[in-house]
Amino acid sequence: MVKNLGPDKNGIKKGAWSDEEDEKLRAYIQRYGHWNWSLLPKFAGLSRSGKSCRLRWVNYLRPDMKHGNFTKEEDDLILHLHSMLGNKWSAIASKLPGRSDNKIKNRWNTHLKKHAKADHNVQESKHHAAAMQLADQANQKKQIEPKVQNGGKMNLAGTSSSVSPSCSTLTKLSSCWLSGADCGVSRNVVPQIFDYQPLEDFWTEPFLEDITSSVDSMLSPSNAVGHDLIAQSFSKDMMLNDEFSWSMLDSCIEDNNEFMCCWDCIQ
DNA sequence: AACAAAGCCAACCGCATTCGA
DNA sequence: GTCGAATGCGGTTGGCTTTGT
């Protein structure tokens, strides 16, 4: 189960920890704390590197560490957090008391990744359907609304009917971002979304209602220059009524510098 | 029963970031 | 501002266990 390597040329032991070593490390930290990982092994009487001691403590010996199987709730939470944060194991671990980042990473790689992959395939199908619906809506909208003049920072109504080469399929719309002036929107156009702060505490973050109100505000006629262009081309419902729109919003939040829509993709 | 393949997970490694001199 | 040490993080490895043939 564990690596069992001999000591290296510096006399630093590697591989599996013995009960005696565990006890030494636990006793030392409980008495003195881990004030300096590099010096700790020497003072604790261990022939280990500071790194190794830290890892052993963080992943296994910490008093609050859980050692049993993961619960369904924990699995669900990992899946959810991973969908939001990606491979930010330490960030995910901070939301699961008693589980180390290493344990969560192992759990993901051995159990949850395949589940997520299966879910992803379902989501891809949903995105495809949603994108097609959005494209239909856009086409209908184009027929009943005059084209927006090209004076704004972004060309939402689109003067070109061509599809960007970077997003050749509608199923990839959620991750398709155009660069350049053809459809980029500067930060000051949609401040409410870009001023969204990264998750500090997932459970206290605003949910749908709060974000919807932000979009309401974004679309308000009193907002800064460029909003009228957005308001003419997007409606709140179009932005938030399906998975596709949510993934767009997620990407907006993730990329805090520049809002690049792929509106042209569906023109 | 014996062997092989897959599953699992503790521990290692290297890189990035932070901090203090 | 620069440099080196300490620390933290994510990817990978290696070996034990379980399952399948």
Side-chain angles (χ1 to χ4, degrees), chain A residues 14-234:
Chain A
K14 293 185 177 183
W17 281 67
S18 67
D19 291 343
E20 189 189 354
E21 288 176 307
D22 280 349
E23 198 43 52
K24 277 185 181 176
L25 181 59
R26 185 185 289 113
Y28 185 87
I29 291 178
Q30 283 179 347
R31 183 157 188 189
Y32 302 108
H34 45 82
W35 46 277
N36 183 317
W37 286 116
S38 298
L39 297 175
L40 186 149
K42 187 180 161 192
F43 282 88
L46 291 162
S47 303
R48 294 275 181 174
S49 70
K51 252 185 161 180
S52 181
C53 292
R54 176 187 161 272
L55 209 62
R56 184 64 177 169
W57 174 257
V58 167
N59 289 335
Y60 191 78
L61 295 176
R62 257 168 42 195
D64 62 331
M65 189 56 58
K66 291 184 199 168
H67 296 290
N69 293 335
F70 280 74
T71 64
K72 176 77 168 55
E73 287 72 23
E74 286 175 316
D75 281 348
D76 288 345
L77 187 54
I78 293 168
L79 280 164
H80 181 76
L81 290 170
H82 187 272
S83 72
M84 300 176 73
L85 301 170
N87 294 2
K88 302 288 181 193
W89 305 118
S90 61
I92 295 171
S94 69
K95 309 297 178 194
L96 279 100
R99 303 296 190 185
S100 70
D101 54 355
N102 203 36
K103 283 227 166 68
I104 291 168
K105 180 171 57 183
N106 284 332
R107 181 67 179 170
W108 171 263
N109 286 329
T110 56
H111 289 89
L112 303 177
K113 192 153 73 177
K114 47 196 160 199
H115 293 211
K117 199 174 177 182
D119 286 350
H120 177 73
N121 290 337
V122 172
Q123 293 302 322
E124 282 278 304
S125 303
K126 277 189 186 175
H127 285 188
H128 178 78
M132 295 302 285
Q133 186 186 354
L134 200 55
D136 285 346
Q137 287 175 0
N139 282 333
Q140 287 168 16
K141 215 171 174 57
K142 273 173 78 174
Q143 287 170 8
I144 59 172
E145 286 185 3
K147 284 194 173 183
V148 176
Q149 295 303 308
N150 205 15
K153 277 199 161 190
M154 99 177 161
N155 180 13
L156 284 174
T159 53
S160 164
S161 60
S162 65
V163 171
S164 161
S166 64
C167 56
S168 55
T169 63
L170 285 170
T171 53
K172 299 292 181 189
L173 277 174
S174 64
S175 57
C176 166
W177 296 101
L178 298 180
S179 59
D182 58 342
C183 66
V185 180
S186 67
R187 177 186 168 82
N188 62 357
V189 174
V190 281
Q192 276 75 17
I193 283 183
F194 292 115
D195 288 340
Y196 187 93
Q197 292 302 305
L199 297 172
E200 187 158 300
D201 183 339
F202 166 75
W203 297 112
T204 60
E205 281 299 302
F207 284 89
L208 178 63
E209 199 175 348
D210 307 301
I211 296 171
T212 304
S213 65
S214 287
V215 174
D216 276 337
S217 161
M218 179 184 91
L219 297 175
S220 150
S222 63
N223 252 324
V225 60
H227 285 203
D228 54 337
L229 292 177
I230 300 173
Q232 286 177 39
S233 303
F234 281 104

